Amino acid sequence: MNSKTRNIALVSGFVLACVICYVFAFSKTFDARTSFKDLEKQEALFEDIPKQFSLLNQKMQYYDSLLNRYQLTETSIQNNLLKTINRKATELDIKVVQFNEPHVYSMGERSKNTYGFTLEGDFANLISVLHHLEQNTKYGEVLTMRFVKEKNHRKGTYYLQLSVLLQNRN
């Protein structure tokens, strides 16, 4: 064998030895290192779980307090709005004449619900109900309100009606 063939055999043997070493030793070492890094990341996440659980409990308490503060329950906004209006109507001696189905306007993922209702009573009490709906609850904003002075022809008396459109954005 001359030196040229010996050198070619030596280089090819070295390359073959490197490939065999990579297949049997180095690749498993690299795989073990990547799995070790993944396990370290998971361990860090598991150590952070009590802190995250505590934060979630605090958020849940905060949202529950908001629901209680704005008098919202698990029922629909329409039912809650009607309950609030009825409660204020009994407190202020107002009559709920009409409560219509909401008009829903959708644009893409967002939608707007518009609730229409009519109340009857004196001016100060009607304004008080509107103030309560806008300031103390989060049902939406008053779009329009219309006062109409009507006459009861049988009794010969006048009464004031308030028609309201309240819009809620989802």
Side-chain angles (χ1 to χ4, degrees):
M1 221 198 245
N2 64 11
S3 65
K4 186 177 181 182
T5 27
R6 210 175 322 140
N7 285 340
I8 291 174
L10 184 64
V11 169
S12 62
F14 179 73
V15 170
L16 182 64
C18 286
V19 169
I20 290 172
C21 286
Y22 178 78
V23 169
F24 288 114
F26 297 144
S27 67
K28 291 180 183 177
T29 304
F30 293 142
D31 291 341
R33 179 168 171 76
T34 56
S35 68
F36 176 72
K37 291 289 184 182
D38 290 340
L39 290 174
E40 280 184 333
K41 288 178 185 176
Q42 288 178 3
E43 181 185 15
L45 287 175
F46 285 129
E47 288 175 356
D48 197 33
I49 284 178
K51 182 179 176 184
Q52 290 177 352
F53 185 69
S54 170
L55 288 173
L56 286 175
N57 277 337
Q58 289 174 355
K59 283 183 183 179
M60 186 177 69
Q61 290 173 353
Y62 171 71
Y63 291 137
D64 285 343
S65 71
L66 285 179
L67 287 175
N68 289 334
R69 179 176 168 198
Y70 295 123
Q71 302 151 354
L72 297 175
T73 60
E74 290 80 25
T75 58
S76 70
I77 291 177
Q78 182 180 2
N79 287 341
N80 290 329
L81 177 63
L82 185 58
K83 284 179 188 176
T84 303
I85 292 172
N86 282 333
R87 187 176 63 249
K88 289 303 274 185
T90 56
E91 288 175 14
L92 300 173
D93 193 33
I94 293 175
K95 182 178 169 186
V96 178
V97 177
Q98 188 178 31
F99 192 86
N100 299 328
E101 285 292 318
H103 172 73
V104 180
Y105 173 72
S106 297
M107 53 183 181
E109 294 178 10
R110 305 196 80 193
S111 66
K112 296 178 183 179
N113 296 337
T114 305
Y115 303 98
F117 54 91
T118 305
L119 305 174
E120 185 179 302
D122 66 345
F123 182 77
N125 291 341
L126 292 174
I127 292 295
S128 176
V129 170
L130 284 179
H131 180 267
H132 177 74
L133 287 176
E134 277 197 322
Q135 301 299 322
N136 300 336
T137 62
K138 294 295 180 187
Y139 295 123
E141 61 182 336
V142 174
L143 286 181
T144 61
M145 60 182 174
R146 186 181 72 186
F147 289 96
V148 176
K149 184 177 178 182
E150 298 272 335
K151 182 176 183 177
N152 186 347
H153 294 288
R154 289 185 183 180
K155 295 181 181 178
T157 58
Y158 290 96
Y159 59 91
L160 189 63
Q161 280 192 344
L162 169 65
S163 298
V164 179
L165 290 179
L166 186 114
Q167 188 175 59
N168 179 352
R169 297 171 196 258
N170 294 336

